[in-house]
Amino acid sequence: MKAAILLTGDEITKGVVKDSNGGYLSEKLTALGFEVQSIVIVPDRKEFIEREISNALDRADLLLITGGLGSTFDDITLQTVADFLGKELIYDSEYHSSLSESFEERYARKAPAGLKRQSFVIQDSIQLANPSGSARGAYIREDNKEIVILPGPPVEMEAVFREALKFITLPPPSYSRTIGFVDLTEPEVEEFTEQMLTEFPSVKFVTRVRYFSGPTVILTSDNESILEEICSLFTRRWKKYVYTTTGEELVQVVVKELKARKLSVSVAESCSGGRLSALLTSVPGVSDVFPGAIVSYSNDIKISLLKVNEDTLNRHGAVSEEVAAEMAAGTKILFGTDIGLSVTGIAGPTGGTETKPVGMVCSAVRIGDLTKTYTDMFRGDRETIQLRGASTVLKRLWRLFWNEFYIE
């Protein structure tokens, strides 16, 4: 079965918002056994949306549309889909009342008139509950074609998509596995993947790069044992570079390892501004192994809370492996954990020098009495450098786990 994805929104086409919905939906649909035909982004213009709906339904059995379900003048998706299908928009007074009551209870003022925009439903559609927001989704079946309309904000989109799966006609049962790699590039994985394509022509292979961890290979087949065999072949070929064959994110694997080894971890961050802590706390149950962190942005905090030696700061500077090592040791002592992680660097866009340019990030991992320090040079904007710095520390910790705490 074939699927298409249509993303709407001026904020995406103008670059104000970076799209993540397309990648999420394509990965989920592929894992379910769909063949994704297209991902198209259009502005909030009726003629553009209608044209792409028509194009998508010509080649796909299922069309997913995101965005345009809010309460402002440019939220036109429902009306556009209704007009395209020749259906009416029906006012849901009960839902409007519930939205107004919820708004007034939360903000202690009269609900705005714009909430009425979110109170219409397309004739003959099934409403999809939104547990994370006010914009409901919709499921429509028309002439053996299925259309699912989802909110634009990623958290709401994902929640409503899970509701939509209760109604979407799925392809025949199939199995999926996702192999994730650390410290490899996509071209390095590609040659072996092409070999597997030749040996297993009945299996669908899709490659994708998880930007801050590495490439992934998604396998889909109606034969689970073949997928197990392919995963074994990839693992045998790449050994320590494979961190998952079941699709987990790297941080999930790291937290799982921490729990399995009964090890606790704490964090000291500077340039990453809490992003490493945010990655760890994105995993449910991480509180079992993660008591806390310090964002030690100033040297005074590094000295007073993390006990970084002032002489070390004066001799080597805040962005140095020496300071990173003392930050990791300091957070380990402060929180009483088995492991201390640290990040310090220059995220930019200013602050760099000839010897310490923007993008230079120093980090450390301290396990017991052993410390490993690193210096990386990253490219990108401030956010990219922060995320790369944080994610790289997780890669290093996972690598040390794989090597049973061996430190060169």
Side-chain angles (χ1 to χ4, degrees), residues 356-387:
K356 295 184 178 182
V358 170
M360 179 176 172
V361 176
C362 298
S363 58
V365 178
R366 185 175 177 90
I367 302 178
D369 295 326
L370 301 173
T371 303
K372 182 70 175 178
T373 60
Y374 313 87
T375 296
D376 295 285
M377 297 292 181
F378 298 122
R379 292 182 296 176
D381 60 15
R382 184 177 180 83
E383 181 181 14
T384 299
I385 291 169
Q386 290 176 321
L387 286 168

Side-chain angles (χ1 to χ4, degrees), residues 32 44 50 52 78 86 112 140 164-165 180 182 192 201 214 222 230-231 235 238 259 269 271 276 305-306 322 329 398:
L32 290 167
D44 294 308
E50 287 186 332
E52 294 307 328
L78 279 183
I140 307 160
L165 289 176
V182 164
F192 189 74
D222 58 4
I230 296 172
C231 287
T235 302
W238 295 110
K259 290 183 176 182
E269 302 185 65
C271 70
L276 177 53
L305 292 183
L306 297 174
E322 290 81 4
W398 180 82

Side-chain angles (χ1 to χ4, degrees), residues 104-125:
E104 291 168 7
E105 181 179 339
R106 182 177 181 183
Y107 296 105
R109 57 180 182 268
K110 184 176 176 57
L115 285 182
K116 187 174 181 179
R117 292 178 184 271
Q118 295 183 307
S119 305
F120 287 89
V121 300
I122 297 175
Q123 177 188 357
D124 301 325
S125 67

Side-chain angles (χ1 to χ4, degrees), residues 164-185:
L165 289 176
K166 298 174 183 177
F167 304 96
I168 292 172
T169 302
L170 300 178
S174 63
Y175 301 94
S176 179
R177 298 289 293 272
T178 299
I179 306 169
F181 303 88
V182 164
D183 296 331
L184 283 180
T185 61

Side-chain angles (χ1 to χ4, degrees), residues 200-338:
F200 299 93
S202 65
V203 177
K204 182 187 296 183
F205 290 75
V206 176
T207 59
R208 180 189 173 198
V209 174
R210 287 175 174 167
Y211 192 65
F212 296 106
S213 55
T216 62
V217 177
I218 305 169
L219 314 172
T220 307
S221 172
D222 58 4
N223 188 325
E224 189 173 19
S225 63
I226 288 180
L227 297 188
E228 295 290 346
E229 180 182 355
I230 296 172
C231 287
S232 296
L233 291 169
F234 269 98
T235 302
R236 192 180 310 152
R237 168 64 180 85
W238 295 110
K239 298 183 178 67
K240 62 182 180 179
Y241 296 100
V242 175
Y243 70 86
T244 182
T245 59
T246 52
E248 300 103 324
E249 297 288 345
L250 178 61
V251 66
Q252 295 173 307
V253 175
V254 168
V255 171
K256 186 187 297 184
E257 286 288 335
L258 288 167
K259 290 183 176 182
R261 296 167 187 264
K262 295 181 170 53
L263 295 172
S264 56
V265 63
S266 57
V267 171
E269 302 185 65
S270 184
C271 70
S272 52
R275 293 186 184 272
L276 177 53
S277 304
L279 283 171
L280 287 167
T281 55
S282 70
V283 181
V286 74
S287 58
D288 293 342
V289 295
F290 179 61
I294 291 290
V295 178
S296 52
Y297 213 63
S298 74
N299 286 350
D300 288 342
I301 296 300
K302 291 180 177 70
I303 293 168
S304 62
L305 292 183
L306 297 174
K307 308 306 178 186
V308 173
N309 193 300
E310 188 172 0
D311 184 56
T312 306
L313 284 162
N314 290 335
R315 284 190 292 115
H316 300 285
V319 181
S320 62
E321 292 188 21
E322 290 81 4
V323 167
E326 294 189 16
M327 289 171 63
T331 191
K332 181 177 175 295
I333 293 170
L334 180 64
F335 289 100
T337 54
D338 302 297

